Amino acid sequence: MAGVSEQLDEAFVQGFMLPGNVPALQSALHQTAQLLSDYFDKTNHSYSGLAADQLDHAIGGMLAETEEPHAVSEVLGEVRTHIMSHSLNVNHPHTAAHLQCPPLIPSVCADTIASALNQSLDSWDQSPAATVVEQHMTEWLCRLFQFPESAGGTFTTGGTQSNYMGLLLARDHYCLHVLGRDVKKYGFPPKASRFKILCSEEAHFTVKKSAAQLGLGEEAVILIPADNRKKMDARLLEETIHRIKAGGDIPMAVVGTAGTTDFGSIDPLEEIGTIAAAEKIWLHVDAAYAGALALSSQYACKLRGITQADSISVDFHKLFYQPVSCGAFLVKKQSFFQHVAHPTDYLNPDEDKEDGIVNLVDHSIQTTKRFDALKVLVTLKTIGTRQWGQLIDQSISNAAMLAEKIEADPSLRLVMRPEMNAVVFRYRSQNEEENGLHRRIQQHLYHSGEAAIAKTKVNGVPHLKCTLLHPCTTEERLEQLVQAVVNTGRKLEKRKKEETV
Ligand SMILES: Cc1ncc(COP(=O)(O)O)c(C=O)c1O
């Protein structure tokens, strides 16, 4: 039987491996850069319009012959044809659906380097420089949010993971310090069935999702009504805390939202912080969206009160213009991370700690972890905080301009002036009951490649939403976007009428 080394065509494999083949790397990166340039030069729609079944057929075809090798250029060519051509163009000025940003060029370069270096930020020996970069970047972030010296942070995959970590630490901190129970070791105390999490009715769905995953159940989340600006009513929060306490429930955490997904509204963080402190309840602030305002000289004041949080979620892959995925989770005291630390002999033994070696797995719910901090460092150095903040300001003023145009158009109805860069509105149809129309407008625009906008519901009623992230759009482009919605609405209404005659 042939040995492994005899089976392997070493010369061939070397073509894909480093350090043997630097020219192969250069050639592949060069081809990649050319494909990207070609894509960005030629793509002038938000989506090609290809239907899901056609996409499935084309991409399935790529997997037909995989036993024998293919040239990199051939495979990249197929990626260009079948995948890049039918990706959502996040750089198009009319791609304005979700909190999905066009990434900054320095961050794309840094992400490529991070992939090539392939550091894993669980243990220091797998990522010496990367570990230090992540530490510096979380320290920078803690300073940006004016957290105290005791604070710390970790990079995460995004707001979902950060919110989960916030509530996990809140639960385990309460159990340890109030009930004297180490949940990590012994699991839930009987009283856990009375634990409650309070957040605004506009909070992100991951608060409920986390409660479910943490064994508390979605019903443990109490939704506090929001006011007409979609911000949590702090007075009702206080009343609810008193009421549920009197009934024997335990308010274990309050979640404040800085930037609700649909409206970008920021809860009254100062008032919420004062209530949480007085009641000795963990305050987690979901700043996945609005956290970026900390960079803005114009809008940072909207985050006043965030320093009172025990933990904060911040997403770099939203308004910080970084490629997916890139988020951070901050805690007021590094020691809170004890609830996720599990020493193991092969990775992060106690002896390392005694020797002052930092293994970042001690701060994370992940083990293997990407070097996402690099793109934040490279962006910070390349762009600088002042201009980074101005990008954010610009996207907010673009949204204000779009809102004015919507308000001025008799065919549309704006729900409210945007707090940030999310604009929610309705198309005034001749038949207001015909709710399916909003969904059809959104889908028609998407498949025609004219615009990618979002659909949502406000009090159960379908609405349309634009999240304006690209700072470099123009007034003319925004006007075109409004007209595209109006014309599509009219066309679909007319079509429906003709069908029913
Ligand atoms: C307010 C808020 N929190 C959390 C999340 C979840 O973030 P991610 O998608 O990065 O996990 C989102 C996503 O849009 C969000 O808007």
Side-chain angles (χ1 to χ4, degrees):
M1 210 167 102
V4 172
S5 58
E6 284 169 50
Q7 287 178 3
L8 198 65
D9 180 343
E10 253 181 67
F12 179 73
V13 171
Q14 291 251 330
F16 301 105
M17 301 296 290
L18 292 165
N21 208 330
V22 170
L25 174 73
Q26 279 176 337
S27 160
L29 285 178
H30 182 68
Q31 289 176 59
T32 305
Q34 278 181 328
L35 284 190
L36 285 168
S37 314
D38 184 59
Y39 169 75
F40 289 120
D41 275 350
K42 294 195 181 137
T43 312
N44 50 18
H45 47 241
S46 54
Y47 180 56
S48 67
L50 206 67
D53 56 343
Q54 292 171 300
L55 258 183
D56 187 50
H57 182 72
I59 293 168
M62 283 180 69
L63 291 164
E65 287 170 26
T66 51
E67 197 162 327
E68 294 304 321
H70 299 262
V72 170
S73 56
E74 187 191 329
V75 178
L76 289 179
E78 288 186 28
V79 168
R80 171 72 181 92
T81 308
H82 300 306
I83 300 175
M84 293 170 71
S85 296
H86 308 298
S87 293
L88 179 69
N89 179 5
V90 294
N91 287 284
H92 192 275
H94 289 175
T95 297
H98 302 283
L99 282 162
Q100 181 184 12
C101 63
L104 293 165
I105 293 170
S107 64
V108 173
C109 300
D111 221 17
T112 309
I113 295 172
S115 290
L117 292 178
N118 207 26
Q119 305 295 285
S120 178
L121 284 87
D122 36 347
S123 61
W124 193 90
D125 61 351
Q126 296 180 82
S127 55
T131 294
V132 177
V133 171
E134 173 160 326
Q135 283 180 293
H136 275 282
M137 294 323 295
T138 51
E139 278 168 25
W140 169 76
L141 207 52
C142 287
R143 279 201 303 276
L144 193 65
F145 285 102
Q146 295 170 11
F147 255 19
E149 281 291 302
S150 58
T154 183
F155 271 67
T156 65
T157 54
T160 304
Q161 192 184 59
S162 302
N163 285 346
Y164 174 81
M165 285 189 78
L167 293 171
L168 178 128
L169 296 195
R171 183 196 67 181
D172 292 1
H173 185 79
Y174 182 86
C175 289
L176 191 63
H177 294 282
V178 181
L179 305 179
R181 170 84 157 205
D182 183 349
V183 174
K184 204 166 72 175
K185 274 205 176 121
Y186 305 110
F188 273 177
K191 277 190 177 170
S193 64
R194 306 305 300 259
F195 287 175
K196 299 289 176 210
I197 297 165
L198 299 101
C199 63
S200 139
E201 59 182 342
E202 297 290 328
H204 198 253
F205 74 90
T206 48
V207 175
K208 280 195 174 174
K209 188 167 170 166
S210 301
Q213 290 170 350
L214 289 167
L216 303 172
E218 290 185 0
E219 293 290 311
V221 179
I222 299 182
L223 300 180
I224 306 296
D227 63 15
N228 59 2
R229 295 285 301 160
K230 308 288 178 192
K231 296 164 185 266
M232 188 202 279
D233 185 326
R235 191 183 44 82
L236 290 179
L237 170 71
E238 195 169 25
E239 274 175 29
T240 309
I241 292 171
H242 292 160
R243 181 170 46 77
I244 66 169
K245 267 182 161 175
D249 281 335
I250 300 169
M252 181 233 25
V254 170
V255 179
T257 307
T260 60
T261 315
D262 271 348
F263 289 95
S265 298
I266 300 172
D267 285 343
L269 300 176
E270 256 182 331
E271 287 172 67
I272 293 174
T274 308
I275 296 165
E279 300 289 339
K280 297 192 172 48
I281 305 173
W282 184 285
L283 174 61
H284 175 72
V285 174
D286 176 0
Y289 180 5
L293 295 187
L295 283 178
S296 158
S297 51
Q298 225 175 319
Y299 300 112
C301 54
K302 284 180 183 273
L303 296 176
R304 199 172 291 127
I306 200 167
T307 41
Q308 295 178 83
D310 294 289
S311 55
I312 305 178
S313 301
V314 186
D315 267 5
F316 289 108
H317 58 211
K318 293 187 167 66
L319 211 41
F320 281 93
Y321 298 101
Q322 300 297 298
V324 171
S325 66
C326 195
F329 172 70
L330 307 180
V331 280
K332 187 163 255 168
K333 290 185 189 161
Q334 286 258 8
S335 58
F336 294 157
F337 282 129
Q338 66 175 284
H339 301 295
V340 291
H342 291 264
T344 20
D345 293 338
Y346 85 97
L347 200 62
N348 55 336
D350 285 332
E351 295 86 327
D352 274 8
K353 204 174 276 168
E354 285 153 23
D355 288 345
I357 296 170
V358 175
N359 296 308
L360 290 178
V361 69
D362 289 338
H363 298 173
S364 180
I365 57 168
Q366 288 175 251
T367 305
T368 300
K369 195 173 83 170
R370 263 182 70 80
F371 185 16
D372 288 320
L374 183 64
K375 49 201 177 200
V376 183
L377 169 72
V378 171
T379 305
L380 179 63
K381 274 292 278 185
T382 316
I383 312 262
T385 47
R386 191 171 47 82
Q387 295 221 55
W388 212 353
Q390 285 169 357
L391 292 181
I392 294 158
D393 294 350
Q394 185 60 50
S395 62
I396 293 177
S397 33
N398 290 343
M401 197 191 295
L402 179 69
E404 275 173 30
K405 290 187 182 300
I406 289 172
E407 224 170 8
D409 195 306
S411 304
L412 304 174
R413 187 165 56 226
L414 182 73
V415 176
M416 65 178 222
R417 287 288 176 104
E419 169 128 33
M420 292 182 52
N421 42 11
V423 187
V424 183
F425 60 101
R426 227 177 118 68
Y427 173 79
R428 290 180 200 264
S429 80
Q430 284 165 5
N431 177 7
E432 283 284 322
E433 297 309 309
E434 210 222 307
N435 282 335
L437 181 62
H438 284 79
R439 187 179 167 78
R440 283 189 289 126
I441 293 174
Q442 182 267 336
Q443 290 189 344
H444 186 91
L445 286 170
Y446 192 87
H447 287 286
S448 69
E450 268 183 282
I453 65 171
K455 54 193 178 315
T456 189
K457 285 188 180 161
V458 181
N459 302 325
V461 179
H463 279 70
L464 296 169
K465 176 174 83 161
C466 291
T467 311
L468 286 193
L469 285 166
H470 206 306
C472 302
T473 193
T474 58
E475 182 166 6
E476 195 191 346
R477 282 301 207 166
L478 295 178
E479 186 58 47
Q480 286 167 1
L481 183 57
V482 171
Q483 286 319 311
V485 173
V486 171
N487 293 340
T488 305
R490 285 201 191 122
K491 189 159 71 186
L492 294 177
E493 276 193 306
K494 188 162 169 257
R495 196 181 289 171
K496 182 93 181 177
K497 216 186 232 170
E498 286 165 359
E499 279 168 11
T500 46
V501 174

